[in-house]
């Protein structure tokens, strides 16, 4: 299993104590997932939210702010557009039109997202015979909003 998490301390909604909170994305059993764990030592409130598929914006924002934005793009000259489309379609979270648009972007400038999302996508591409490179975008989190 691979993953990235951001730990922080927030105030407990029930007792006002310090809650350890962990927000993350992971790849497990070949699938992309996300989770939010909170654990209050004072009143023993423990909650664990976890699901498969694309993470909610609240989770992605935390990871992008902490670890920065990453990009993935195919490398090499003979990239099969059909393979790109298949990879983007196989998890069932995108419409055909959306997958086509993303496949076009992927073949061009590449796609961006969190490190775990991009590593996951690169892994799927490699499974379909497409070599892919993943790397950080820009100079770091501080630059994330530049150019918009
Ligand atoms: Zn508490």
């Amino acid at each position: 299993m691979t993953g990235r998490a951001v730990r922080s301390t927030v105030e407990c909604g029930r007792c006002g104590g310090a809650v350890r909170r962990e927000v993350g994305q992971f790849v497990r059993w070949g699938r992309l997932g996300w989770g939010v764990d909170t654990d209050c030592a004072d009143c023993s409130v423990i909650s664990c939210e976890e699901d498969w598929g694309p993470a909610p914006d609240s989770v992605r924002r935390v990871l992008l702010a902490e670890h920065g934005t990453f990009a993935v793009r195919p490398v090499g000259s003979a990239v099969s557009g059909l393979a790109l489309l298949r990879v983007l379609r196989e998890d069932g979270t995108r419409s055909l039109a959306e997958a086509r648009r993303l496949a076009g972007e992927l073949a061009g400038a590449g796609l961006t997202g969190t490190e775990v999302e991009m590593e996951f996508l690169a892994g799927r591409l490699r499974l379909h015979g497409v070599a892919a490179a993943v790397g950080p975008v820009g100079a770091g989190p501080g630059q994330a909003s530049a150019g918009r």
Side-chain angles (χ1 to χ4, degrees):
M1 182 188 130
T2 56
R4 276 279 177 277
V6 178
R7 289 178 192 85
S8 58
T9 303
V10 296
E11 191 176 300
C12 176
R14 187 177 295 183
C15 73
V19 178
R20 284 188 308 128
R21 183 159 165 267
E22 190 173 311
V23 174
Q25 275 183 305
F26 52 82
V27 174
R28 199 184 291 157
W29 306 312
R31 299 176 71 189
L32 177 67
W34 60 273
V36 177
D37 288 341
T38 50
D39 178 0
C40 178
D42 295 333
C43 70
S44 308
V45 168
I46 297 175
S47 81
C48 176
E49 202 183 341
E50 216 172 75
D51 207 351
W52 299 111
D57 281 346
S58 57
V59 168
R60 299 186 73 242
R61 265 200 302 274
V62 170
L63 288 164
L64 289 169
E66 181 74 17
H67 297 296
T69 301
F70 282 71
V72 63
R73 53 176 312 201
V75 291
S77 50
V79 175
S80 157
L82 199 61
L84 300 186
L85 196 58
R86 196 174 294 147
V87 168
L88 290 164
R89 282 283 281 170
E90 69 186 352
D91 66 358
T93 61
R94 299 174 186 93
S95 70
L96 184 58
E98 197 181 355
R100 277 217 176 95
R101 181 177 61 78
L102 290 174
E105 287 179 21
L106 184 55
L111 292 178
T112 58
T114 68
E115 184 177 5
V116 174
E117 289 166 352
M118 296 302 102
E119 288 288 357
F120 176 70
L121 188 54
R124 304 307 304 176
L125 288 167
R126 288 173 196 133
L127 278 180
H128 285 271
V130 179
V134 177
V137 174
Q143 303 282 311
S145 60
R148 287 255 163 176

